[in-house]
Amino acid sequence: MSVLSAPFPPSSAHQFTVDEYHQMIQTGILSDTDRVELLEGYVVDKMPHNPPHDGSIQLARDTLAPRLPAGWCIRIQSAIVLSDSEPEPDLTVARGTSRTYLTRHPGPTDVGMLVETADSSLSRDRDKARIYARASVAVYWSINLLDRQVEVFTSPSGPMAYPSYTQQAVFGVGDLVPLVLSGVTVADVAVQDLLP
């Protein structure tokens, strides 16, 4: 499976900084009703929701939340701020509590792991691995609804010309996925509990 590909839109499109993106929100150019996110400097439409996608996000939240140690919280489809992107992962496990992020979004050092649930969005979610690897997000899960498996990406390269995760593992129905935060396995999660 390759997670390296070209940037989202053609290179002739205008790129925005994270600060410019925030200014578009503050001045009302973008509003809460705009279903967009900033990926590698491009404002792109978010994928539409469907019941299996939304349901599996809820399943992931319900499965992971009771297994988190103190000092970690779950955020659902909420922004994280990276150097050139402000994606809204389906699920983020972040340091702190819900109150920690009342005045700011988490950054890369706050993030323990990210989860994207993928069906029609599988290709885009695999592209996001590049963005998350560039930001040195330690663990990225793609819950692949099409193939009924969890794809786990670890050991990010950090910023470089072609960022990627150097380790990838695939867990199928019947497997247990290790839930790793700050390099420590805190629980094992049954793949079947994450799938609709």
Side-chain angles (χ1 to χ4, degrees), residues 38-50:
L38 184 71
L39 301 178
E40 295 182 320
Y42 300 106
V43 177
V44 299
D45 290 329
K46 290 171 61 174
M47 299 302 284
H49 292 209
N50 62 46

Side-chain angles (χ1 to χ4, degrees), residues 72 95 112 138-139 179-186:
W72 295 94
R95 296 180 192 283
V139 179
L179 173 57
V180 178
L181 296 171
S182 294
V184 176
T185 300
V186 299

Side-chain angles (χ1 to χ4, degrees), residues 85-149:
S85 300
E86 191 167 301
E88 298 179 10
D90 288 329
L91 186 145
T92 302
V93 177
R95 296 180 192 283
T97 68
S98 299
R99 294 195 166 275
T100 304
Y101 303 105
L102 293 177
T103 59
R104 68 177 180 90
H105 297 305
T109 59
D110 300 309
V111 175
M113 68 176 286
L114 297 175
V115 178
E116 296 282 7
T117 299
D119 47 11
S120 61
S121 64
L122 184 59
S123 176
R124 180 179 287 185
D125 288 341
R126 285 185 175 157
D127 281 338
K128 284 184 177 180
R130 176 183 63 242
I131 295 168
Y132 300 149
R134 180 183 299 116
S136 298
V137 172
V139 179
Y140 168 47
W141 288 9
S142 175
I143 300 175
N144 179 338
L145 301 181
L146 299 177
D147 299 316
R148 299 192 54 77
Q149 62 191 24

